[in-house]
C-alpha cells in the first residue's frame, strides 16, 4: 500500500455509494471546489448534502483509481437550499422522501432544517403533513443528530457504531455520558456488543486493567458467554480461572469482584451437587422456580376421575384407533397426575398418544392448551392434532403492552395466569430453563402439564437441559414409547434414525425410498452438490420446490457451513439483479425474496397480521391489518420489500408482515441453510444435510439423529462416509452445568 501523506479536503457529500452499518465504512462522492472526488473511511451515518472536512491522504485503488482515504472527519449539517434538498431527499430523516423534501425546501429554503428542528407547526402548513407527522419528523431529526454524534464518538474510539441505535434508544442524549462513566455497559447483551469492544473503549478512556468495573464485566461476560454454550451456572473455581485468563489478572481481584457482584444481587453462589455454583440472578431464579413448581406438581395428588376406564374408551373411539399398552398407560397417567413426560423416537406413536390425551381431557371437561417452542413446531402440532397450537412466546403474550411492566418479558404470569386446566408442551427438549420457568409461572395452581419430546435429540439452544434433567431426576412419571408402528417402519428415514440412535451405521447404498447418501469428501464439492440439489435436481427430478427444502449443516463456519452454503444458494436461487432491491448489512447482502431467520428474541418489533406493503400518496410505505409485536429467535420469513425512504425492510413471517428498521436487520441472517441446532422443533418436507469435515465437538450421534429426524418425505445427505460413521459412533454428550436435576433430587445446599 502507498504511504499516505496527510492532507485536508473539504466539500459537500454528493452521493453515498456504499455504507456498512456494522462498522461505518463508507464510500462517497464529495464535491470539493470544482471537482468531485471519491472518499472512503469510517463515516457512520453520513448522508448526501452534509458538509465534510476530511483529514487523510490520497491512495490508488487497483480497480477504482484515485481515492481520498479519510483518517478523521469533521462534519456539519448542510447549508443552502440545494445541499439541504440533497440531504433530505437522501432519506437521512425517516419519513421524508424525494417528494416531501422538494415541498419543504421550496417553502422554507435555507431555513428548512431550522424549521424541522424548532417549528413543527410551520412544517404542518405544508399540504399532506399533519401536526403529528411534523412532530414525528422533528423527533426523528433530533434523534438522528444525537445518534450521529454518538456514532462518531464510538467510531473515534474504535467501537463499531452498530450499537449506537440501541444505546440511543436506551439512554437518549445521555448515552455518551453514561458510556464515558462506565464503558462496560456496552457488554450488556441488549446492546449487541461484546466484552472486548467495551474493553477497548475503556482502555482508550483510561480505565485501569484491574479496576472493579473491568473485572466485574469480565466475570459477567464469562457467565453470559457460557449460557450460550448451554450452561445455567459455572463452578466457582472454573469461573475464576476463566475470568483471570480473559482479563490477564490475578485471582484476588476476581474474587473481590465476584463478592461485589453477589452483594449487589447480580450473581448468586449456591452449593449444588457438591459444587459451588455461580449463577446470574435471572438464571438462578428460573432454575429454582422450575424445580419448585415441578416438584410441587409431582407431589400434589389430583382427585379421582369417576368412570375413567369408560372415558378412556370414548377417547379411543374418537381417535379411531386401538391404543397400544404404553399409549393406554400414558392416558391413564395424564388423568391421574398433574405432571408427566411422554417421550419416544419417530414412528413410535407420540402424536397419536397426544391426540388421545386431548380427547380424554375433553371427556373429563378440562380446557387444554397446546404449545411448542417454535412457530414451525406449533403449526405442525396444529396439523397433526386438529387443534390450535401456539408458540410458548405467543401463548404467554410476549410483546404485549402488559409484558413491559415491572421488567416482565411476558403478559401472562402468576398475577395474570392462563385460562386452562391443562397444558400440553410439545418438543420439550428445545425448551430452555428461562422459558420453562415462564410457562410454569403462567399456569394456574391446579393446572396439569404434559411434556412431550424426543429425549435423544439435541438439548435446547438456550441454557439448561430441562427435558433431560427432568427425566433423569425420576421425580416425574415418564412414559417412553419404543415400538415402531408398521406404517412408520416402511420409511427409510425412520428406520435409519433408530439405527443411528442405537449406534448402528445404516447402509449408505442408494436403493430408492426416502433416504439418499451422496459421497462428497471435499467441502467445496459438498457446497456445490447441495446448491445443485436445492436449485435444480430436487425441484426438477422429485417435484419438490426449493421453498419446501431446508438445507442443514452442523456448523456455521468452515467449508460447507451455513455461511458458505447460504451465499452459494442465494446466488443460485436469488441472484443480484438491477431491478431487485437489496440492502447490505455487515457481510450479508439481503435481497427481496430471500429466506431469512431471526437470531434473537425481539419482543418490541411490531408486525401487522394479514397486511400487504402499500405505498400511500406521498410514496411512503404503509401497512394495514391487525397489529401485534414480537419476533423470536429461530422464526423464519421472507423479504417482501426493501424501502430506502422508510429505512426499513418488509418481511413476511407466515401471515404477519414485519417492518424491520435497517438498524435492526443485524438480527437477521439468511436461512436457505441453517445449523442443525437451529432446526430443532421443525419438520420439513425435504432436508439436504451437508456433512463436510467439521470440528470434533459437532461430530456427535445426537446431532446426526436430530438432523435426520427433521425430514418428513425426503432426506439427502451430501458428505463423507467417514464423517457419517464417526457421528454414529460418538455418543458423547456435552456436559452442561445445570442444577435442575439436583434440585428435583434434593441435592442442593451445604
Amino acid at each position: 500500500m502507498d504511504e499516505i501523506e496527510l492532507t485536508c479536503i473539504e466539500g459537500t457529500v454528493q452521493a453515498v455509494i456504499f455504507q456498512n452499518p456494522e462498522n461505518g465504512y463508507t464510500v462517497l462522492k464529495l464535491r470539493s471546489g470544482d471537482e468531485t472526488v471519491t472518499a472512503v473511511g469510517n463515516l457512520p451515518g453520513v448522508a448526501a448534502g452534509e458538509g465534510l472536512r476530511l483529514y487523510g491522504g490520497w491512495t490508488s485503488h487497483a480497480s477504482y483509481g484515485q481515492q481520498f482515504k479519510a483518517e478523521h472527519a469533521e462534519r456539519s449539517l448542510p447549508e443552502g437550499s440545494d445541499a439541504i434538498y440533497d440531504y433530505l431527499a437522501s432519506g437521512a430523516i425517516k419519513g421524508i422522501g424525494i417528494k416531501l423534501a422538494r415541498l419543504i425546501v421550496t417553502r422554507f429554503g435555507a431555513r428548512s432544517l431550522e424549521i424541522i428542528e424548532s417549528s413543527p407547526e410551520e412544517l404542518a402548513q405544508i399540504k399532506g403533513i399533519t401536526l403529528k407527522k411534523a412532530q414525528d419528523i422533528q423527533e426523528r431529526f433530533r434523534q438522528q443528530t444525537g445518534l450521529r454524534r454518538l456514532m462518531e464518538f464510538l467510531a473515534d474510539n474504535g467501537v463499531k457504531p452498530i450499537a449506537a441505535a440501541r444505546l440511543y434508544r436506551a439512554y437518549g442524549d445521555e448515552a455518551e455520558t453514561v458510556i464515558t462513566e462506565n464503558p462496560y455497559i456496552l457488554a450488556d447483551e441488549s446492546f449487541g456488543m461484546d466484552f472486548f469492544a467495551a474493553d477497548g473503549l475503556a482502555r482508550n478512556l483510561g480505565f485501569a486493567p484491574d479496576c472493579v468495573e473491568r473485572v466485574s464485566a469480565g466475570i459477567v461476560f464469562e457467565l453470559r458467554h457460557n449460557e450460550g454454550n448451554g450452561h445455567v451456572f459455572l463452578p466457582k473455581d472454573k469461573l475464576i480461572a476463566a475470568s483471570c485468563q480473559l482479563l490477564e489478572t490475578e485471582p484476588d481481584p476476581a474474587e473481590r469482584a465476584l463478592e461485589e457482584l453477589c452483594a449487589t444481587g447480580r450473581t448468586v453462589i449456591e452449593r449444588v451437587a457438591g459444587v459451588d455454583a455461580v449463577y446470574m440472578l435471572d438464571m438462578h431464579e428460573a432454575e429454582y422456580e422450575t424445580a419448585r413448581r415441578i416438584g410441587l406438581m409431582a407431589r400434589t395428588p389430583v382427585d379421582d376421575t369417576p368412570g375413567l376406564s369408560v372415558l378412556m374408551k370414548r377417547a379411543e373411539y374418537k381417535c379411531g384407533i386401538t391404543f397400544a399398552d404404553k399409549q393406554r398407560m400414558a392416558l391413564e397417567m395424564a388423568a391421574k397426575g398433574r405432571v408427566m413426560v411422554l417421550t419416544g423416537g419417530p414412528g413410535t406413536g407420540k402424536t397419536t398418544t397426544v391426540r388421545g390425551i386431548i380427547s380424554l381431557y375433553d371427556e373429563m371437561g378440562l380446557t387444554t392448551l397446546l404449545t411448542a417452542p417454535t412457530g414451525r413446531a406449533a403449526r405442525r402440532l396444529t396439523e397433526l392434532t386438529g387443534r390450535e397450537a401456539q408458540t410458548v412466546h405467543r401463548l404467554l403474550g410476549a410483546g404485549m403492552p402488559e409484558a413491559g411492566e415491572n421488567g416482565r418479558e411476558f403478559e401472562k404470569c402468576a398475577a395474570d395466569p392462563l385460562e386452562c386446566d391443562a397444558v400440553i408442551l410439545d418438543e420439550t427438549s428445545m425448551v430452555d430453563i428461562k422459558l420453562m420457568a415462564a410457562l410454569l409461572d403462567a399456569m394456574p395452581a391446579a393446572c396439569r402439564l404434559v411434556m412431550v419430546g424426543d429425549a435423544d435429540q439435541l438439548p435446547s439452544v438456550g441454557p439448561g437441559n430441562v427435558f433431560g434433567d427432568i427425566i433423569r431426576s425420576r421425580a416425574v412419571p415418564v412414559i417412553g414409547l419404543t415400538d415402531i408402528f408398521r406404517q412408520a417402519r416402511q420409511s427409510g428415514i425412520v428406520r435409519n434414525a433408530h439405527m443411528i440412535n442405537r449406534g448402528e451405521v445404516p447402509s449408505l447404498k442408494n436403493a430408492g425410498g426416502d433416504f439418499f447418501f451422496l459421497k462428497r469428501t471435499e467441502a467445496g464439492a459438498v457446497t456445490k452438490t447441495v446448491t445443485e440439489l436445492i436449485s435444480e435436481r430436487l425441484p426438477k427430478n422429485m417435484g419438490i420446490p426449493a421453498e419446501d427444502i431446508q438445507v442443514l449443516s452442523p456448523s456455521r463456519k468452515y467449508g460447507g457451513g451455513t455461511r458458505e452454503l447460504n451465499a452459494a444458494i442465494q446466488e443460485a436461487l436469488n441472484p443480484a439483479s438491477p431491478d431487485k432491491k437489496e440492502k447490505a448489512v455487515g457481510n450479508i447482502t439481503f435481497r427481496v425474496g430471500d429466506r431469512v431467520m431471526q437470531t434473537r428474541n425481539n419482543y418490541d418489533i411490531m408486525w401487522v397480521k394479514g397486511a400487504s406493503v402499500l405505498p400511500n400518496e406521498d410514496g411512503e410505505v404503509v401497512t394495514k391489518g391487525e397489529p401485534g409485536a414480537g419476533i423470536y429467535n429461530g422464526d423464519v420469513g421472507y423479504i417482501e420489500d426493501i424501502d430506502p425512504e422508510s429505512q426499513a425492510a418488509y418481511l413476511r413471517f407466515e401471515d404477519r408482515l414485519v417492518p424491520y428498521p435497517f438498524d435492526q436487520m443485524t438480527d437477521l441472517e439468511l436461512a436457505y441453510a441453517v445449523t442443525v441446532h437451529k432446526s430443532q422443533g421443525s419438520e420439513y418436507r425435504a432436508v439436504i444435510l451437508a456433512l463436510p469435515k467439521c470440528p470434533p465437538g459437532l461430530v456427535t450421534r445426537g446431532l446426526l439423529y436430530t438432523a435426520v429426524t427433521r425430514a418428513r418425505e425426503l432426506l439427502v445427505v451430501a458428505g463423507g462416509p467417514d464423517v457419517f460413521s464417526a457421528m454414529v459412533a460418538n455418543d458423547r454428550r456435552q456436559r452442561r452445568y445445570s442444577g435442575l436435576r439436583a434440585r428435583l433430587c434434593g441435592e442442593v445446599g451445604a
Side-chain angles (χ1 to χ4, degrees):
M1 180 181 291
D2 298 336
E3 183 177 349
I4 297 176
E5 180 182 350
L6 288 178
T7 185
C8 172
I9 63 171
E10 59 182 307
T12 302
V13 178
Q14 279 199 325
V16 176
I17 308 302
F18 171 79
Q19 191 164 79
N20 185 331
E22 183 171 346
N23 57 25
Y25 180 78
T26 304
V27 180
L28 56 82
K29 293 293 185 182
L30 187 75
R31 183 67 179 175
S32 181
D34 295 329
E35 61 177 343
T36 299
V37 301
T38 300
V40 300
N42 196 330
L43 301 164
V46 72
E50 281 192 57
L52 290 181
R53 177 175 292 172
L54 303 177
Y55 298 88
W58 295 98
T59 63
S60 181
H61 191 280
S63 301
Y64 304 111
Q66 193 177 46
Q67 298 178 338
F68 189 84
K69 184 177 181 181
E71 301 294 329
H72 177 67
E74 295 176 1
R75 299 163 61 173
S76 60
L77 287 172
E79 297 179 357
S81 298
D82 291 343
I84 291 174
Y85 170 75
D86 290 341
Y87 175 74
L88 295 177
S90 72
I93 302 175
K94 186 176 179 181
I96 299 180
I98 295 174
K99 180 180 177 181
L100 204 52
R102 184 176 292 111
L103 291 173
I104 292 171
V105 174
T106 298
R107 186 177 185 100
F108 299 112
R111 296 179 56 240
S112 295
L113 296 183
E114 176 187 341
I115 295 297
I116 289 173
E117 183 174 20
S118 305
S119 304
E121 66 281 358
E122 291 190 49
L123 193 63
Q125 295 173 9
I126 294 177
K127 184 179 179 181
I129 301 181
T130 64
L131 180 59
K132 183 181 184 306
K133 182 171 182 177
Q135 291 169 339
D136 288 343
I137 290 172
Q138 176 193 47
E139 180 62 23
R140 289 167 185 162
F141 177 65
R142 289 179 173 176
Q143 289 178 357
Q144 196 260 0
T145 53
L147 180 59
R148 187 182 67 175
R149 287 193 299 270
L150 180 60
M151 295 172 80
E152 290 174 352
F153 169 75
L154 294 176
D156 287 345
N157 285 279
V159 179
K160 291 181 180 179
I162 196 167
R166 293 174 184 168
L167 283 164
Y168 194 83
R169 279 197 294 269
Y171 298 109
D173 291 335
E174 299 298 315
E176 185 175 333
T177 301
V178 171
I179 295 169
T180 303
E181 292 175 350
N182 183 6
Y184 290 101
I185 66 165
L186 278 169
D188 187 284
E189 58 187 358
S190 60
F191 299 128
M193 303 295 291
D194 60 24
F195 169 80
F196 304 102
D199 199 36
L201 175 57
R203 295 198 177 205
N204 285 347
L205 297 176
F207 281 72
D210 61 349
C211 68
V212 67
E213 292 91 349
R214 180 172 189 262
V215 181
S216 296
I219 291 172
V220 170
F221 167 77
E222 286 290 348
L223 288 169
R224 291 301 191 198
H225 174 76
N226 279 282
E227 287 173 17
N229 294 329
H231 301 301
V232 182
F233 69 82
L234 287 181
K236 180 182 176 183
D237 57 346
K238 292 184 181 295
L239 173 61
I240 294 296
S243 300
C244 289
Q245 183 177 6
L246 171 75
L247 301 167
E248 298 181 339
T249 189
E250 297 299 317
D252 285 348
E255 292 274 6
R256 290 195 297 271
L258 182 56
E259 289 177 6
E260 177 69 17
L261 287 167
C262 290
T264 57
R266 294 190 67 192
T267 60
V268 175
I269 300 179
E270 191 171 17
R271 193 77 174 168
V272 176
V275 173
D276 286 330
V278 184
Y279 295 81
M280 292 299 296
L281 178 61
D282 58 339
M283 289 292 107
H284 183 266
E285 290 178 343
E287 187 177 275
Y288 175 85
E289 286 300 325
T290 298
R292 185 191 67 80
R293 183 66 186 273
I294 288 179
L296 181 63
M297 293 171 72
R299 294 188 301 271
T300 305
V302 297
D303 295 335
D304 291 337
T305 303
L308 178 59
S309 60
V310 174
L311 297 180
M312 289 179 61
K313 287 180 180 179
R314 287 181 185 172
E316 192 173 51
Y317 175 77
K318 280 187 176 181
C319 292
I321 61 167
T322 300
F323 292 124
D325 289 343
K326 282 194 174 181
Q327 291 177 314
R328 194 171 289 106
M329 288 172 60
L331 266 68
E332 188 173 354
M333 189 178 290
K336 293 183 175 181
R338 291 200 187 280
V339 60
M340 66 168 288
V341 166
L342 175 66
T343 184
T348 57
K350 289 198 305 296
T351 300
T352 301
T353 308
V354 168
R355 288 171 52 211
I357 293 173
I358 295 170
S359 294
L360 177 59
Y361 281 168
D362 287 346
E363 294 294 329
M364 294 170 62
L366 303 180
T367 301
T368 306
L369 296 178
L370 307 187
T371 188
T374 68
R376 281 181 176 271
R379 187 165 64 250
R380 178 168 165 259
L381 185 58
T382 297
E383 293 169 354
L384 294 174
T385 63
R387 298 281 286 267
E388 181 187 3
Q390 302 180 69
T391 65
V392 180
H393 287 89
R394 191 90 46 219
L395 182 71
L396 299 183
M400 299 298 289
E402 295 85 350
E405 297 177 2
N406 301 317
R408 284 161 44 192
E409 292 184 6
F410 302 104
E411 174 191 9
K412 294 298 180 182
C413 59
D416 182 16
L418 298 166
E419 296 180 3
C420 63
D421 303 302
V423 171
I424 297 179
L425 172 62
D426 198 15
E427 297 288 354
T428 310
S429 63
M430 288 188 64
V431 178
D432 63 39
I433 191 67
K434 289 193 72 174
L435 192 59
M436 179 58 81
L439 176 61
L440 291 167
D441 184 52
M443 288 168 46
C447 190
R448 303 167 190 246
L449 175 63
V450 178
M451 293 174 280
V452 184
D454 187 339
D456 294 308
Q457 287 185 21
L458 293 170
S460 59
V461 175
N465 189 11
V466 174
F467 199 47
D469 283 353
I470 290 172
I471 293 172
R472 286 193 298 273
S473 74
R474 300 187 179 181
V476 171
V478 176
I479 289 289
L481 304 177
T482 54
D483 295 334
I484 305 174
F485 287 88
R486 181 174 59 82
Q487 185 176 357
R489 284 199 298 269
Q490 299 172 3
S491 165
I493 294 172
V494 172
R495 289 197 311 272
N496 291 340
H498 284 276
M499 288 184 68
I500 290 167
N501 209 22
R502 294 193 299 267
E504 303 169 11
V505 180
S507 171
L508 300 182
K509 294 180 181 179
N510 296 322
D514 55 10
F515 186 104
F516 295 88
F517 187 90
L518 304 179
K519 181 180 178 180
R520 302 291 187 271
T521 56
E522 299 297 326
V526 171
T527 298
K528 183 174 184 293
T529 299
V530 168
T531 304
E532 291 173 349
L533 285 166
I534 190 172
S535 62
E536 299 175 14
R537 293 166 61 176
L538 295 188
K540 181 179 179 180
N541 299 330
M542 306 292 289
I544 303 177
E547 56 265 29
D548 288 347
I549 303 168
Q550 182 61 60
V551 175
L552 304 181
S553 178
S555 73
R556 290 170 54 85
K557 305 176 184 177
Y558 312 104
T562 59
R563 289 181 182 175
E564 180 178 290
L565 288 165
N566 272 316
I569 296 170
Q570 183 194 43
E571 181 61 28
L573 294 180
N574 194 26
S577 170
D579 59 351
K580 189 174 293 182
K581 298 177 185 178
E582 60 181 40
K583 172 66 178 174
V585 180
N587 296 322
I588 303 175
T589 298
F590 294 103
R591 298 191 187 105
V592 171
D594 276 335
R595 185 194 304 176
V596 296
M597 175 181 283
Q598 175 76 7
T599 60
R600 75 180 187 95
N601 291 338
N602 186 335
Y603 302 112
D604 300 321
I605 196 164
M606 302 301 296
W607 47 260
V608 185
K609 190 172 184 179
S612 57
V613 179
L614 301 168
N616 67 10
E617 60 181 12
D618 293 324
E620 298 173 321
V621 175
V622 297
T623 55
K624 294 181 179 179
E626 178 186 339
I631 297 294
Y632 311 112
N633 187 5
D635 284 356
V636 174
Y638 289 85
I639 298 178
E640 286 198 356
D641 193 17
I642 296 173
D643 182 55
E645 289 198 16
S646 62
Q647 293 286 288
Y650 292 82
L651 274 65
R652 177 76 60 184
F653 289 87
E654 300 178 12
D655 60 347
R656 292 162 291 152
L657 183 70
V658 188
Y660 260 77
F662 283 165
D663 66 357
Q664 294 189 36
M665 290 183 70
T666 53
D667 293 340
L668 299 172
E669 60 185 26
L670 294 174
Y672 299 105
V674 302
T675 63
V676 177
H677 281 86
K678 286 287 191 180
S679 74
Q680 288 175 259
S682 298
E683 186 180 70
Y684 311 98
R685 182 180 176 188
V687 167
I688 303 171
L689 174 59
L691 279 189
K693 290 183 179 179
C694 53
L698 297 174
V699 183
T700 67
R701 185 186 302 172
L703 189 143
L704 179 60
Y705 174 77
T706 300
V708 169
T709 53
R710 299 309 90 205
R712 184 171 69 248
E713 294 182 18
L714 178 68
L715 174 70
V716 183
V717 183
D722 55 336
V723 177
F724 191 98
S725 298
M727 295 180 84
V728 174
N730 182 13
D731 195 27
R732 177 180 56 82
R733 297 173 184 261
Q734 181 187 12
R735 180 182 181 185
R736 291 187 166 197
Y737 290 112
S738 164
L740 181 58
R741 186 205 62 80
R743 291 183 191 280
L744 289 169
C745 295
E747 298 175 7
V748 174

